[in-house]
Amino acid sequence: MDLKGVLDGGMFIGRSGSSYVVLEPNGYQTSLPEVLLRLSVGARVCSVSWGVTTPGDLSYAVYGRLLTSVPIHSPEWRSGLQPRALDQDLAVLDQVTTSIRDGHLTYPAHAVAHEAGAMSVVESCTRVRLDLDWLSRPHPFLRREADVPANPSMPGWFADLDPDVDSRLRLADPDLLALAVRQALTDVLARHDLLDSPGVRPALDLLASGQAAAQPPRLEGPGSLTGQLQEEFEARRFEVAPHDDPRLRRWQAAMALARAFSRFRDDVLDPLGSVYLAAGDEWPHIRNTLLRLLDS
């Protein structure tokens, strides 16, 4: 199998015993729920995907239903029709996560431990292993004609991350929705010690006065807060796994504030997508704050 060429827009397809194996370099189309549901009609499908700077996911679909979906860096956040369906198989991923959090597994091993653990879950669930023999053999490469259309039922990217909170916020009064977004922004910026960074408080003041269409000061361009934090992250991005990298989360916190301004976003709740990524394991606390605000 030649993995050195231009591989965007396609996938390798091969056999392993009675199972089919799909390997999609530089892509994620085969991990989308709408694709997994089609592939699992009359069968079962286990999928793992991850990126260089994005959290990975493990999904398990059977008979056209998504039974389990698991963020591989936070496997305790299981969802789906049967979120505990893979508990026995997921034990190895739970152990990896515990070892990293307890400091027993450190860099560089922990940089790929979650991905390796997720592949072990697939092997345990399906009895299929992508060993060197399978990878060394040639396999057909299928090029797709177009990407899968975005799910029309999802109004924005935050809805993919926390559809429950997204739907509740969209039903709220617009002023309460804006207050909730500012609350989440203030919370995550404070957690990353960014409230007193250049341009942050003036930007929050603009949002508080309803000026989301304004030009936020010092949030974009050379020397800006987002630019500086992005450079700090990219300068050492391979030293720490993305889910453990505080520089990535600080950058996402600044991007959340930038996305609160209309010129940087496609949807009013886009900033909460960055808040979610910046918060990491602290998202449940911010989430609870938002829910209390909506209930007040």
Side-chain angles (χ1 to χ4, degrees):
M1 181 183 297
D2 182 9
L3 295 176
K4 299 178 181 178
V6 178
L7 300 176
D8 293 337
M11 63 208 72
F12 292 99
I13 299 179
R15 294 292 296 268
S16 179
S18 61
S19 299
Y20 285 93
V21 178
V22 178
L23 178 62
E24 184 183 8
N26 300 329
Y28 61 92
Q29 298 294 298
T30 51
S31 68
L32 296 174
E34 49 267 53
V35 174
L36 295 176
L37 298 185
R38 292 284 297 276
L39 290 176
S40 66
V41 172
R44 64 190 188 120
V45 178
C46 199
S47 167
V48 175
S49 65
W50 66 82
V52 175
T53 62
T54 55
D57 291 289
L58 186 150
S59 299
Y60 180 56
V62 180
Y63 295 156
R65 296 184 177 186
L66 186 59
L67 298 191
T68 306
S69 182
V70 182
I72 65 175
H73 299 107
S74 302
E76 66 275 17
W77 292 9
R78 300 171 193 179
S79 61
L81 293 176
Q82 291 182 254
R84 318 304 302 191
L86 295 183
D87 275 10
Q88 183 174 348
D89 303 291
L90 283 165
V92 63
L93 198 54
D94 291 331
Q95 292 169 6
V96 166
T97 302
T98 300
S99 296
I100 291 175
R101 290 176 179 172
D102 291 347
H104 301 311
L105 191 61
T106 58
Y107 183 84
H110 83 334
V112 295
H114 280 111
E115 290 79 1
M119 294 299 291
S120 295
V121 173
V122 174
E123 180 181 345
S124 174
C125 175
T126 66
R127 301 298 186 264
V128 172
R129 171 184 288 186
L130 289 185
D131 54 22
L132 291 178
D133 179 63
W134 192 94
L135 291 170
S136 65
R137 299 196 306 270
H139 298 285
F141 186 74
L142 178 64
R143 190 170 299 280
R144 63 177 183 273
E145 295 182 355
D147 288 346
V148 176
N151 187 342
S153 67
M154 292 295 182
W157 74 298
F158 177 62
D160 275 326
L161 301 172
D162 195 324
D164 176 51
V165 172
D166 184 282
S167 63
R168 292 171 186 246
L169 287 171
R170 291 183 192 279
L171 294 174
D173 177 83
D175 290 338
L176 183 57
L177 186 152
L179 176 61
V181 170
R182 293 200 307 275
Q183 177 66 51
L185 289 171
T186 302
D187 194 333
V188 79
L189 289 164
R191 290 174 187 272
H192 288 285
D193 297 321
L194 292 173
L195 278 178
D196 293 321
S197 298
V200 170
R201 291 191 185 275
L204 289 172
D205 290 341
L206 285 174
L207 295 175
S209 61
Q211 300 183 59
Q215 170 75 29
R218 306 182 69 177
L219 286 185
E220 64 166 339
S224 67
L225 179 62
T226 54
Q228 175 189 341
L229 294 177
Q230 180 180 2
E231 290 176 1
E232 290 177 2
F233 161 65
E234 292 184 343
R236 302 175 62 186
R237 66 187 299 178
F238 297 112
E239 295 182 11
V240 183
H243 61 280
D244 284 333
D245 196 335
R247 291 179 296 269
L248 175 59
R249 292 183 178 174
R250 281 171 61 84
W251 174 32
Q252 286 296 327
M255 286 301 301
L257 180 57
R259 286 194 171 108
F261 291 87
S262 55
R263 64 191 304 258
F264 294 107
R265 70 180 187 223
D266 297 317
D267 179 74
V268 67
L269 293 184
D270 278 356
L272 292 187
S274 290
V275 169
Y276 180 100
L277 297 178
D281 292 340
E282 297 298 314
W283 169 249
H285 301 290
I286 298 178
R287 185 184 200 275
N288 289 336
T289 299
L290 294 177
L291 293 179
R292 287 194 298 269
L293 183 62
L294 290 174
D295 290 338
S296 63

